[in-house]
Each structure stands twice: as C-alpha cells, then as structure tokens.
Amino acid sequence: MSHDPDGPLLLEPDEPPAVTVTDADGRSPFVVTCDHASNRVPRRLAGLGLSEAERDRHIAWDIGALAVARRLAARLGAPLVAAGYSRLVIDLNRPLAARDLMAEISDATPVPGNHGLSPADRQARIDQLFRPYHAAISALLDRRAAAGRPSLLVCQHSFTPRLSGGAARPWHIGLAPGRDRRFGELLAAALRRDPALVVGWDEPYAIGPASDYGVPVHGDGRGIPAVLIEIRQDGVAGDAGAARWADRLAGSLAAIAPALLGDTP
Ligand SMILES: [Zn+2]
C-alpha cells in the first residue's frame, strides 16, 4: 500500500485491508465489484463521531449488497472485488473532485468526523483506501485483457427504500448502464420476464462522470460493457433475500452473456 510516510496512517496492522479480491482467476466473463460493501470505519477515525446505530444505517454502506455480490460471484464463477471500509470514510464511487467524496452530511445526518478535514487527512483516505481499491480493479481488468479474455463489469449496490423526507422508491431493482446501454438493456429485458418485478431504468440514479466512478472509469473508460445494479434494501436484508437475488441475477446474466460477448470485439 502506498502512502505518504509523513501522512497519517489510517489502518492498524490487525484491521482488514482496503480491498479484498476473491476468485481473481474466475473463468466467468463477468467481474463483480462492491464499492459500498462495508460499514467499517478505521479504528483511528473513531467511528467518524457517529453512533454504532448510525453506522449501521444505509448512510454508511449498501445494506445487503455484499451478501448478494458474494453469492452472485460464486454462482457465476466470477472474480469479486469488495471494499473494506465505509463510504462515509471515502466514497469509492465518486470522482476525487466530488463534493460528497467524504460527505459532511449524508441523508440529513451530519458526519462529525468529516468536518474540517485537513488536506493530509483527505490525502490519507485517498492514498490508503481509494487508490488501492481502484488499483485492484484496474489490475484485474488489465490481466484479463492481457490474457485475451473479455470482461463484463457488474457494479453491485443497494438502495434505501426511502430517503429522509423523500417518497417511497417503488423499484425492486434499478439498473444504470454506462455509455454502452446494451448490457443494461439486455439485463432489464431478462429481469422483466418476471412480471411481478418492478425494474427501474436509470433509477434510483442515472450514472454520470461527475457523480460516479466505477462504471465511467472501469467500464466506459476501457470500452468494457458495464452496468450498475441497485437492489432495494428491504429485499436483501436477510440471507434468504440475498440468495434469491443472487440466483435471479446469476440466471439473467448467464442468459445474456452470449449476446453480450458476441458484441465484444
Ligand atoms: Zn452503493
């Protein structure tokens, strides 16, 4: 891990790494990432001044996303790249210039540990959490490309059923494609074969280079088909829900892979 030797060290030796790659040599054409996998805060940051109850909420992580991503990657035989720390420490799906990269307020909740950060504090989070995570994804995609293997990028997220003061979000799942819409369109069509499923398109958010990082950089930036998948958190709160979603997504992805790979040079 690279860091400025004069800057503050974030992680103690017994803490989890910034990034964990599982099944790096998985033979699937799919590569799964989970940016908001964890609500862990480095011990030295003292919970960012939030109570444990606040850090259990959706503001700190994508509840259920890692449970789905793990099962999905296992069913597909795909590599999984998962982050080790909370989005409140640094949001791995934001460009470095984004105002909410280290959010001072998240869904109406102030984050005391993100107020008044010095440039060195900010740089430590970038160097020790953001860069290793994205370097792991880049290295994985580089290796696959060098081996002549195609990659189809699946960025697994989850969303809260309702933001503070907001309206109920009706979608069970939302898809947000990168610049190449075909991956998302095929997946949406496959999911919509179940008429009971409410599939959002560009919901709960559309992707943009000013607000997102994974799909624009690792997908669009490399010409790799990519889609961001958001599952509503009440559907993945328990193991059974996560397993159901992983099965459903694995089936849909496997079904559309031949058509997608036919388009991939
Ligand atoms: Zn997310």
Side-chain angles (χ1 to χ4, degrees), residues 20-59:
T20 301
V21 182
T22 311
D23 201 7
D25 297 320
R27 303 304 297 172
S28 169
F30 295 100
V31 170
V32 183
T33 65
C34 195
D35 299 345
H36 302 145
S38 175
N39 65 343
R40 189 178 175 94
V41 172
R43 213 176 282 133
R44 288 182 169 132
L45 299 184
L48 296 172
L50 296 169
S51 69
E52 199 174 330
E54 295 284 23
R55 281 181 276 118
D56 278 342
R57 292 178 53 224
H58 74 93
I59 57 172

Side-chain angles (χ1 to χ4, degrees), residues 35-36 61-62 65 87 91 93 156-159 228-230:
D35 299 345
H36 302 145
W61 59 331
D62 283 1
R87 66 185 301 167
D91 192 329
N93 192 34
Q156 182 66 58
H157 293 256
S158 73
F159 66 95
L228 187 148
I229 300 177
E230 294 258 15

Side-chain angles (χ1 to χ4, degrees), residues 30 152-154 173-192 199-202 207 215 224-229 249 252-253 256 260 263:
F30 295 100
L152 305 167
L153 185 63
V154 174
I173 184 169
L175 304 180
R179 202 184 299 135
D180 173 353
R181 321 278 291 173
R182 182 160 161 78
F183 186 177
E185 286 166 357
L186 286 169
L187 181 57
L191 290 166
R192 284 178 177 141
V199 181
W201 181 254
D202 277 341
I207 285 178
V215 169
I224 288 177
V227 66
L228 187 148
I229 300 177
L249 284 172
S252 296
L253 290 168
I256 66 173
L260 274 171
D263 289 351

Side-chain angles (χ1 to χ4, degrees), residues 121-140:
D121 291 334
R122 297 179 67 87
Q123 197 61 44
R125 297 185 192 185
I126 292 168
D127 290 344
Q128 296 169 53
L129 298 176
F130 188 97
R131 294 209 191 281
Y133 177 75
H134 289 294
I137 299 173
S138 295
L140 177 68

